[in-house]
Amino acid sequence: MAESVGHAIGTVIGVLLVIAILATPFFLVYHFATKKNRAAKKQGRHMTQGHAEAPNWYPDPQRPGLERWWTGNGWGPQTRQATPPPSRGETRRREVAPPPTPPRSAEAPPVATPPKTIATRRSADAGRAAPARPAMFPPARSARPATPEPPRPVAASGVDGWIPVGTSVKVAGYTINSGLIYVGRRLQTAGRKEPSLIDPKLKVQGRPLDLEGRWLDYWPSYDQLHPTSRAAYLQWLSAGRRQRGTPVGYVFLFMYGLERRVFVDISSDKRLLPELPIIRQEMSALIDLYGADNYSLRRYGTGFLEAIDLMLLQDDKHLPEVPPELPTDRWEAPLSLRVVIGGFAADGVPVPPEWALAWAWFHPETRVRTAAHRCFEEFSTMFLKLYAAKHGVGLVPAKSGRAIKLEYRAASAAIQVVSLGLGGVKDVLAKGDRGSLEQLVEQAQSSIDAYSRYVGKRPDERGTARAQALLPQELLEDTGAAAPFASKLAQWSARDTVSANELFGGWAIEGRATKSDSVMIAQYAQKLGYGIEPDARFGGPSYSADMAVRVFRLDAGASQTASPEYQSATTVIHLAIAVSAADGTADVAEIEKVFAHAESRLGLRHDEIVRLENHALWLLASPVKLTGLGKRIAELSEHERETLGQLMVEVALEDGVVTVDEIKSVTKIFKLLSLDESSVTARLHSAMTGGSDPVLVRPGSLQRETTIPGPPDAEEQTPSADFALDLASIEQKLQETASVSALLRDIFDEDGPATEPPSVQAEVPVSAKSLAGLDAKHSRLAERLAEQAAWDRVEIERLCAELDLLPDGAIDTLNEAAFDACDEPLLEDEEPMTFNHTAYGELQR
Amino acid sequence: MSEQQAATIRPRERDALLQALRTGVVPRIGQQHIQVARVHEVRALVSDIERIADGGAGTRFVIGDYGSGKTFFLHVVRSIALQQKLVTVHADLSPDRRLHATGGQARSLYAELTRNMATRSKPDGGAMANVVERFISSALTEAAASGSAPESVVRTGLDRLSELTGGYDFAEVIAKYWQGHDSGNDQLKIDAVRWLRGEFSTRTDARQALGVRTIIDDANFYDQLKLLAVFVRLAGFNGLLVCLDEMVNLYKMANTQARNSNYEQILRIINDSTQGTAEGLGFVMGGTPDFLMDPRRGLYSYQALQSRLAENPFARDGIVDYSGPVIRLPNLTPEDFYILLTNLRNVQAGGDPSAYLLPDEGLQSYMRHCAERVGDAYFRTPRNSIKGFLDLLAVLEQNQQLQWSDVIARVEVEVETDPDLEDTTTPSENGSDNDDELTSFRL
């Protein structure tokens, strides 16, 4: 029994399965049909219920109890409470009644139309946009079935009509000259009496005037106003709508009328379009006057202006000729910019550079930093250059994006929601190609960062040689301000040595340049295509007036700082010169002969070799002080000395041949390094025979990282095996040598180790009380910061420099201590940075 | 978290919080003031963070439906981590930001992560220079105490890095930052930070600017994160927390091989964190159930991951295991939403109950209003209803004469749609303008 039941169930399940399987393709076809088809199907269902296709409110198929707007070929986003089931008559009437302003989604982009010029394209859009008038929806709260009336013809003046600007009208004894209001008795908006309509028959009581708006409702309506409020409103109108202190309710009431004019009258009658600018001007004046301390008015008002702008933009002649100003506050892109960029996208036309700059500026993904704001000129020039270099005539925006549309919640309860479109122009601003624009902005910014920081610290030094030196090369070429220095450099490069004093021309340096000035001079020269040796960026000393320097041509794209390879090479040169100087035979030929292949051994770039040669020549030309060498070398650990020794051996062996001279030199260096001189030949031998006795440079870790074998990619496989091996082995040595070089560098840096500013260090511990968890310097910084309530970042940087602190690190340290003490930062990290005295108090405990 | 209710709300936090919520984005600071429920989930992550701070590692997947608050939760976790003196980095994955790639997308993810690097005192990003300078400052202090040259102290401090893959150049770049500071060479400092942020795109440029031969690129993306984790500990922080959101973008990748490479990277991350090869490094990844469980394209499609991420077989029918690698976020309930509203009211009033703009029944009335407009969506995907509520508060604040009961009826709340679903339509599709066509389509 149970079994047969089981069978039966099995059979039923089987049959169901078969049905399901058979039905699946149909389901899939149905399910994966395009959205449009789905919409059409939904539409179909309604059609069977006898609805006409006309746009109107219909019961929402998804949510019982709600009605949803049917646009004619799809469901709109708007819903409202369902009305009680209408009688038959009403239904029929609704079917025949033309919708208020047909919300046609006539925004179908032309498929495969031949490319047009922007102008023709836009005019075509305008043509299409005109019928696509703003859709208007009856108020959601209205309990009556919405049968919005067609726009009424309005008389120029008098009964039931719009009073244009410049026409005067007299109501209850008040003469209103400035127009822009509706006067009459019956004017309706979306099925209810127009709230702003001034009905001259209604009672007006002038005493007492309701100037404070005591009787005003949040959503006022003229016919519901208290007679004393009506009087106050009329008085406000007659006096020209500009008195300060007027309750905002009156302003709103007036605004309702403007909204009706725009969204009902003007949008259905193109001939009225010239009124738009007038209304816009009035509205923006009202916002300026009354919006400052009223958020609602400001919000509705600016929304209204945007809607007007969009309607204006439907007409080609309102499209801007030039990109908008780029404001500091780039919260939202101007509508006109969106429309223009959308137009470029639609036409497949490259965006010209100036427009691209505006596009990038307002792109939500780009990060505009202080540099761009502070040095906008330089930033924009740089951006335009980079844009031209990367995209030539310009970038063609991708066409993806939503059609530009605007949904405005009108202040007037009679209008509620208006959606405006713009003939299929897509909003591509926030879309495609953002990567490349963002990159360009970032590149432009980082190229002027150093310059920006400098002029931030010293605003009065814009245009001086120092500031100029920090500009990117591309901008220097433009200005021509660099030409005098460039021609001097050309002259100097022809000479053997130049007095550093000559370099100082235009820099206002007396006697001795600071380290940062030396860096700047070298940077400036390099941007103009010249190198100077010594160079503080490569570990050289700062310039002083009595110093002789070498100037030489440098490749474009030459190194701006010492690589580990270069540092090692200089160490080799230094040691070589040191040993040859020690026995009094320092001459160029010997150095070059013995160590010529240091360069190839270490894998230097061409520009580094040029620099190294000049460095060696400069060293030989200047009296080298070797007094500190022994002491310095004594500071090296045995391991570090070993590393240097091994490097010398390898350099000597580079050409595969060991000469007697080489052995002599290496031996001398071993002696200098207090290494076993007798081991030199053994080491050379061992290195020649394949390094069977490797020197342990650093204990390696056995752990091998598992890397992901990416998809077979030609590029990833290019580094050949032996190259990779070589790299790994040499890298360790180079790094090791680089750090040793850092120790030795000071010998050849005539500043010696005395570069530390000693003055501050001495006074710090005396003046500062130590704060909780902070050392003396940071405590002192906190103490100084407490002197002022708000700080510029630049000032803080200066303070930190005085105390020999790094600004970002110092702020972070202070704030963390303050967080530990009281969960609040000491300095708000936003300009201007405000100092938190409560937190400081906590820290002092 | 409820103890923090009484905590004062700083004006800056309040404004940032309200502004973010009103524009419909997840706030970056002050989340603790509005966090509701999810005590267990938060507790699980707190213990993760403590483990990371102790030099451990951890990986968690935060899985929830659209609108369930994954992003918000990630930011809560992030703010807790900052509190525990971790450094955090966070980014959304996207078609051009992935964990593994050969066309620059992994570098781009790294760049985004490091641009958003945050410390407790710089919670909204851009903290790379802070971290580097913290490290150098401590080296300077040490150098001053021991009387040795600062640069060699910096380099000695970085020895630890040099042992790791790619560590030499990383250390070299930090040393360059110091040199830049020492010689007043701002350009060098800027370039060093740019390198650390993965903003160099060619080796030639890096060699020219910093003298190093490598750059952070697709191939060493994860190794660099590990280095960074070690480095932040050297700088005096407790560890690094990496928050990756919108992981669903991996699931959406059409190319199986590319997708699997990304999953392999995730496997490597999980393995490292469970086997202890990573140090002071934690990952929190947010994604949808599809991303996790889809057998064809989700993490489960990758066998090795499926076994590691499988649910505890005992954890079902309401019993939950918060110790597994996967944390599932339930949607909010109306009760949660109510508490959220009270929190928002509290934040808006700056923590002062006497300044509340509407009473408790006002909150309920608002919820009723929302329910009428959008149904359950108001608490399931609360973004818009929160926005509406804050609009309501703003109106009430600026128009003190208004009654809340009048204004509530005017608040507009719209149905929230999942943009991931919208993206599936072709851009040329004209009908895509109607936002909610697909919201609740059923047979």
Side-chain angles (χ1 to χ4, degrees):
Chain A
M1 181 67 189
E3 248 174 54
S4 66
V5 171
H7 274 298
I9 291 173
T11 316
V12 169
I13 291 174
V15 168
L16 283 177
L17 263 176
V18 169
I19 292 174
I21 290 165
L22 287 176
T24 306
F26 296 102
F27 166 77
L28 286 178
V29 166
Y30 184 70
H31 190 78
F32 290 107
T34 61
K35 274 172 84 172
K36 207 165 175 180
N37 284 347
R38 282 180 221 170
K41 276 176 199 263
K42 278 191 268 181
Q43 171 189 335
R45 274 187 287 168
H46 285 287
M47 294 312 108
T48 57
Q49 287 163 24
H51 283 301
E53 238 179 290
N56 209 333
W57 294 101
Y58 296 109
D60 190 321
Q62 309 295 326
R63 293 193 219 111
L66 283 182
E67 287 189 334
R68 183 170 284 276
W69 182 259
W70 177 257
T71 63
N73 50 14
W75 289 107
Q78 303 80 10
T79 55
R80 63 172 191 181
Q81 293 295 326
T83 53
S87 71
R88 254 194 95 70
E90 265 179 335
T91 316
R92 186 173 299 125
R93 190 163 57 84
R94 201 156 57 163
E95 281 164 14
V96 245
T101 45
R104 287 168 47 182
S105 42
E107 298 167 4
V111 181
T113 43
K116 300 173 195 164
T117 66
I118 301 177
T120 57
R121 162 83 199 188
R122 279 193 202 132
S123 54
D125 275 350
R128 234 188 348 267
R133 270 164 308 221
M136 261 217 329
F137 303 103
R141 289 192 299 169
S142 160
R144 295 184 297 131
T147 47
E149 28 133 46
R152 299 176 66 92
V154 284
S157 67
V159 189
D160 233 7
W162 173 251
I163 312 297
V165 74
T167 310
S168 58
V169 64
K170 198 163 179 179
V171 177
Y174 293 93
T175 310
I176 301 163
N177 291 321
S178 42
L180 301 181
I181 46 171
Y182 286 103
V183 177
R185 303 218 58 195
R186 292 184 307 275
L187 184 70
Q188 292 209 322
T189 304
R192 59 187 273 182
K193 193 158 185 182
E194 165 56 34
S196 74
L197 180 67
I198 297 172
D199 184 342
K201 292 275 158 42
L202 290 177
K203 189 181 167 197
V204 172
Q205 187 188 328
R207 226 162 284 151
L209 270 179
D210 180 19
L211 287 175
E212 298 87 49
R214 260 190 310 149
W215 306 103
L216 272 177
D217 184 32
Y218 189 64
W219 283 280
S221 150
Y222 185 82
D223 62 341
Q224 304 286 322
L225 284 189
H226 193 273
T228 58
S229 309
R230 282 190 199 128
Y233 180 55
L234 291 173
Q235 199 212 23
W236 178 68
L237 291 177
S238 69
R241 305 186 291 259
R242 293 293 182 271
Q243 297 99 316
R244 294 197 168 274
T246 303
V248 77
Y250 295 133
V251 185
F252 266 119
L253 186 57
F254 172 71
M255 181 180 164
Y256 297 163
L258 298 183
E259 287 181 336
R260 187 194 191 277
R261 185 64 177 170
V262 170
F263 298 125
V264 178
D265 295 348
I266 298 180
S267 59
S268 60
D269 187 350
K270 252 190 126 178
R271 286 166 300 170
L272 299 177
L273 275 173
E275 286 184 20
L276 277 179
I278 302 166
I279 294 178
R280 192 189 191 287
Q281 195 185 351
E282 175 67 21
M283 193 61 226
S284 97
L286 290 177
I287 298 172
D288 288 348
L289 195 59
Y290 302 106
D293 37 46
N294 187 283
Y295 169 76
S296 293
L297 182 69
R298 214 160 61 232
R299 204 182 64 162
Y300 282 114
T302 43
F304 186 35
L305 291 184
E306 271 180 13
I308 295 177
D309 286 343
L310 192 99
M311 290 174 72
L312 283 170
L313 287 170
Q314 288 170 348
D315 186 0
D316 251 5
K317 69 169 187 277
H318 290 285
L319 281 175
E321 301 279 317
V322 289
E325 294 266 299
L326 306 182
T328 321
D329 164 29
R330 32 174 227 111
W331 191 241
E332 204 171 349
L335 189 65
S336 57
L337 177 67
R338 291 175 186 275
V339 174
V340 171
I341 301 290
F344 286 127
D347 299 344
V349 171
V351 181
E354 293 78 23
W355 283 99
L357 176 61
W359 179 14
W361 186 264
F362 282 108
H363 197 293
E365 294 263 325
T366 51
R367 295 166 199 238
V368 176
R369 292 184 276 112
T370 322
H373 292 302
R374 190 188 284 145
C375 310
F376 181 75
E377 278 296 301
E378 289 82 2
F379 165 75
S380 50
T381 319
M382 198 64 204
F383 178 89
L384 298 179
K385 277 176 177 282
L386 291 169
Y387 183 76
K390 183 153 185 197
H391 298 293
V393 281
L395 183 74
V396 183
K399 281 185 195 173
S400 67
R402 295 175 164 227
I404 290 181
K405 66 170 186 178
L406 187 105
E407 209 146 270
Y408 170 59
R409 284 177 208 293
S412 168
I415 294 177
Q416 292 246 328
V417 182
V418 182
S419 39
L420 296 161
L422 199 65
V425 174
K426 299 264 165 102
D427 190 0
V428 299
L429 188 117
K431 284 259 175 178
D433 311 306
R434 62 150 201 239
S436 64
L437 280 182
E438 194 195 337
Q439 255 176 32
L440 292 183
V441 169
E442 193 49 50
Q443 249 175 294
Q445 285 181 139
S446 56
S447 72
I448 59 162
D449 256 339
Y451 174 76
S452 151
R453 284 195 196 177
Y454 189 83
V455 298
K457 278 180 221 163
R458 304 169 191 83
D460 47 329
E461 285 194 26
R462 265 181 204 249
T464 61
R466 277 194 179 77
Q468 198 89 33
L470 296 171
L471 280 174
Q473 208 160 351
E474 292 88 338
L475 294 183
L476 273 181
E477 286 159 6
D478 272 10
T479 56
F485 191 52
S487 68
K488 272 192 209 162
L489 283 167
Q491 292 166 19
W492 291 334
S493 68
R495 285 156 49 183
D496 250 3
T497 55
V498 183
S499 157
N501 206 20
E502 289 188 60
L503 288 180
F504 295 165
W507 289 77
I509 295 170
E510 292 290 328
R512 192 176 179 81
T514 62
K515 213 165 195 178
S516 71
D517 274 344
S518 306
V519 166
M520 274 195 197
I521 292 175
Q523 270 174 341
Y524 197 13
Q526 178 159 2
K527 280 174 193 157
L528 300 171
Y530 292 90
I532 306 177
E533 261 309 316
D535 187 326
R537 298 173 301 160
F538 289 79
S542 308
Y543 303 124
S544 58
D546 54 352
M547 188 190 272
V549 302
R550 290 184 60 86
V551 176
F552 50 95
R553 278 303 294 188
L554 209 50
D555 309 346
S559 301
Q560 294 161 0
T561 187
S563 61
E565 296 87 339
Y566 182 82
Q567 286 178 37
S568 303
T570 43
T571 310
V572 171
I573 296 286
H574 288 174
L575 289 173
I577 290 180
V579 290
S580 50
D583 54 12
T585 60
D587 77 284
V588 189
E590 187 187 352
I591 308 291
E592 284 198 337
K593 193 170 63 196
V594 178
F595 297 102
H597 31 259
E599 300 154 2
S600 53
R601 175 67 197 166
L602 294 166
L604 295 179
R605 304 189 336 165
H606 177 253
D607 65 274
E608 289 176 317
I609 295 171
V610 171
R611 181 175 288 282
L612 196 63
E613 278 167 9
N614 280 283
H615 183 68
L617 290 172
W618 170 76
L619 273 179
L620 289 168
S622 358
V624 182
K625 286 183 208 155
L626 293 171
T627 40
L629 190 59
K631 188 167 155 264
R632 285 270 154 183
I633 285 173
E635 278 173 20
L636 298 179
S637 72
E638 194 187 336
H639 174 59
E640 285 165 333
R641 284 182 279 120
E642 277 287 343
T643 313
L644 278 179
Q646 190 62 22
L647 184 72
M648 300 310 288
V649 169
E650 287 184 16
V651 165
L653 266 175
E654 170 60 20
D655 55 356
V657 185
V658 188
T659 64
V660 178
D661 284 345
E662 281 172 343
I663 299 177
K664 276 186 190 162
S665 295
V666 173
T667 312
K668 281 181 204 160
I669 289 171
F670 267 55
K671 194 174 167 191
L672 186 70
L673 292 171
S674 323
L675 292 172
D676 182 8
E677 293 162 59
S678 59
S679 72
V680 169
T681 46
R683 283 177 195 246
L684 282 169
H685 174 76
S686 141
M688 285 170 94
T689 52
S692 58
D693 182 20
V695 175
L696 178 69
V697 173
R698 169 190 294 282
S701 64
L702 283 174
Q703 236 170 59
R704 187 85 193 110
E705 293 298 331
T706 48
T707 46
I708 297 177
D713 186 325
E715 230 190 7
E716 284 188 11
Q717 294 189 340
T718 39
S720 59
D722 60 343
F723 172 65
L725 258 180
D726 187 29
L727 203 87
S729 77
I730 202 167
E731 190 175 354
Q732 288 189 324
K733 272 178 212 139
L734 287 178
Q735 291 291 337
E736 195 79 18
T737 338
S739 64
V740 179
S741 310
L743 283 176
L744 291 177
R745 189 184 306 141
D746 286 344
I747 310 161
F748 297 92
D749 177 351
E750 293 189 10
D751 298 355
T755 42
E756 301 279 311
S759 52
V760 189
Q761 275 178 334
E763 81 186 46
V764 166
V766 189
S767 60
K769 302 181 285 283
S770 214
L771 298 178
L774 291 174
D775 63 11
K777 275 187 192 176
H778 285 97
S779 304
R780 173 80 186 127
L781 178 63
E783 196 180 298
R784 293 286 302 274
L785 288 174
E787 290 163 10
Q788 220 169 292
W791 290 87
D792 256 348
R793 177 154 173 110
V794 171
E795 292 173 61
I796 291 184
E797 280 181 12
R798 199 173 298 143
L799 261 187
C800 287
E802 277 175 35
L803 290 164
D804 197 25
L805 287 169
L806 291 88
D808 286 318
I811 293 169
D812 208 273
T813 308
L814 290 183
N815 279 347
E816 194 172 282
F819 267 120
D820 281 344
C822 62
D823 252 342
E824 281 183 32
L826 189 66
L827 208 59
E828 289 285 1
D829 197 12
E830 230 169 50
E831 297 221 40
M833 302 163 116
T834 47
F835 187 82
N836 182 342
H837 276 277
T838 331
Y840 186 56
E842 288 296 320
L843 275 180
Q844 281 174 317
R845 275 195 199 164
Chain B
M1 294 246 101
S2 57
E3 314 89 73
Q4 294 198 7
Q5 189 77 191
T8 51
I9 299 159
R10 285 189 291 133
R12 180 166 170 255
E13 271 183 335
R14 171 190 181 268
D15 295 347
L17 198 61
L18 296 183
Q19 197 180 19
L21 290 173
R22 282 189 73 180
T23 46
V25 297
V26 170
R28 291 193 166 187
I29 55 171
Q31 301 90 349
Q32 70 273 22
H33 299 302
I34 54 170
Q35 166 69 15
V36 287
R38 296 180 177 163
V39 187
H40 299 291
E41 290 87 347
V42 170
R43 203 170 283 154
L45 264 305
V46 166
S47 74
D48 280 4
I49 289 167
E50 281 166 358
R51 194 168 62 245
I52 296 162
D54 285 342
T59 308
R60 290 274 188 173
F61 293 85
V62 176
I63 301 297
D65 279 320
Y66 176 73
S68 62
K70 293 182 295 297
T71 304
F72 184 83
F73 186 76
L74 288 187
H75 280 275
V76 170
V77 172
R78 207 170 68 79
S79 63
I80 297 171
L82 291 176
Q83 200 73 15
Q84 299 283 337
K85 295 189 194 172
L86 266 67
V87 174
T88 68
V89 292
H90 64 100
D92 290 355
L93 269 70
S94 72
D96 41 63
R97 293 200 283 262
R98 297 183 204 147
L99 294 171
H100 179 272
T102 50
Q105 296 94 334
R107 181 176 71 85
S108 156
L109 175 63
Y110 185 87
E112 181 67 15
L113 282 169
T114 44
R115 232 178 286 166
N116 289 329
M117 182 182 251
T119 66
R120 193 175 176 196
S121 81
K122 206 169 169 63
D124 24 5
M128 181 61 89
N130 296 37
V131 175
V132 175
E133 293 196 358
R134 283 284 294 272
F135 172 79
I136 294 176
S137 302
S138 62
L140 283 186
T141 316
E142 198 190 314
S146 67
S148 37
E151 184 164 344
S152 54
V153 177
V154 168
R155 285 183 183 276
T156 318
L158 294 169
D159 269 355
R160 177 86 185 67
L161 287 182
S162 306
E163 290 167 14
L164 301 165
T165 319
Y168 282 118
D169 279 347
F170 193 100
E172 186 64 28
V173 170
I174 304 287
K176 287 293 173 198
Y177 191 95
W178 152 252
Q179 281 175 20
H181 171 74
D182 184 46
S183 60
N185 187 347
D186 268 350
Q187 188 62 50
L188 194 56
K189 282 162 75 175
I190 292 164
D191 285 336
V193 170
R194 282 185 58 218
W195 189 93
L196 291 169
R197 288 210 211 123
E199 284 170 16
F200 276 99
S201 52
T202 68
R203 294 195 167 92
T204 320
D205 288 351
R207 174 79 194 259
Q208 181 193 356
L210 294 158
V212 294
R213 275 181 299 187
T214 57
I215 53 169
I216 293 168
D217 57 17
D218 288 342
N220 60 17
F221 158 79
Y222 177 52
D223 288 325
Q224 291 293 336
L225 277 180
K226 289 207 280 187
L227 276 174
L228 205 55
V230 177
F231 178 66
V232 300
R233 286 171 68 80
L234 292 176
F237 295 92
N238 283 338
L240 179 71
L241 183 73
V242 183
C243 300
L244 298 168
D245 204 356
E246 304 294 344
M247 294 295 282
V248 71
N249 279 294
L250 298 185
Y251 157 82
K252 284 201 274 186
M253 287 168 68
N255 182 321
T256 314
Q257 199 179 17
R259 195 172 57 236
N260 281 342
S261 301
N262 276 278
Y263 288 168
E264 221 165 293
Q265 187 81 282
I266 292 179
L267 177 65
R268 193 176 157 208
I269 291 171
I270 296 178
N271 283 348
D272 275 355
S273 69
T274 47
Q275 294 162 0
T277 24
E279 178 188 323
L281 176 61
F283 281 84
V284 187
M285 305 184 220
T288 55
D290 282 345
F291 158 66
L292 178 69
M293 294 186 297
D294 187 287
R296 286 180 305 118
R297 296 196 289 160
L299 286 179
Y300 277 12
S301 69
Y302 197 82
Q303 188 53 43
L305 280 172
Q306 193 196 344
S307 58
R308 279 166 181 79
L309 300 179
E311 311 287 314
N312 183 339
F314 298 104
R316 55 177 170 200
D317 304 330
I319 303 169
V320 199
D321 173 17
Y322 292 106
S323 65
V326 175
I327 292 222
R328 288 176 187 274
L329 292 186
N331 285 81
L332 287 183
T333 63
E335 290 72 26
D336 293 335
F337 187 72
Y338 177 77
I339 299 174
L340 177 58
L341 291 188
T342 59
N343 286 351
L344 287 174
R345 180 181 61 175
N346 186 49
V347 168
Q348 200 276 340
D352 173 13
S354 65
Y356 286 174
L357 287 169
L358 76 174
D360 290 354
E361 62 262 36
L363 306 181
Q364 286 172 29
S365 155
Y366 177 71
M367 287 168 71
R368 209 171 302 124
H369 168 77
C370 290
E372 280 164 12
R373 305 283 308 211
V374 297
D376 280 357
Y378 83 90
F379 63 84
R380 286 190 196 285
T381 53
R383 192 187 311 248
N384 282 336
S385 36
I386 290 173
K387 210 163 125 185
F389 183 69
L390 293 175
D391 284 342
L392 166 71
L393 289 182
V395 169
L396 288 174
E397 187 186 18
Q398 316 217 13
N399 304 277
Q400 302 277 352
Q401 79 282 6
L402 286 182
Q403 282 301 309
W404 57 265
S405 46
D406 294 339
V407 191
I408 283 181
R410 278 273 288 198
V411 177
E412 299 288 339
V413 182
E414 280 170 30
V415 177
E416 169 101 42
T417 53
D418 184 348
D420 287 347
L421 295 178
E422 283 170 22
D423 282 351
T424 56
T425 58
T426 51
S428 61
E429 183 73 50
N430 186 38
S432 64
D433 295 344
N434 296 329
D435 288 350
D436 47 358
E437 264 183 348
L438 271 180
T439 37
S440 50
F441 181 74
R442 275 198 199 92
L443 261 184

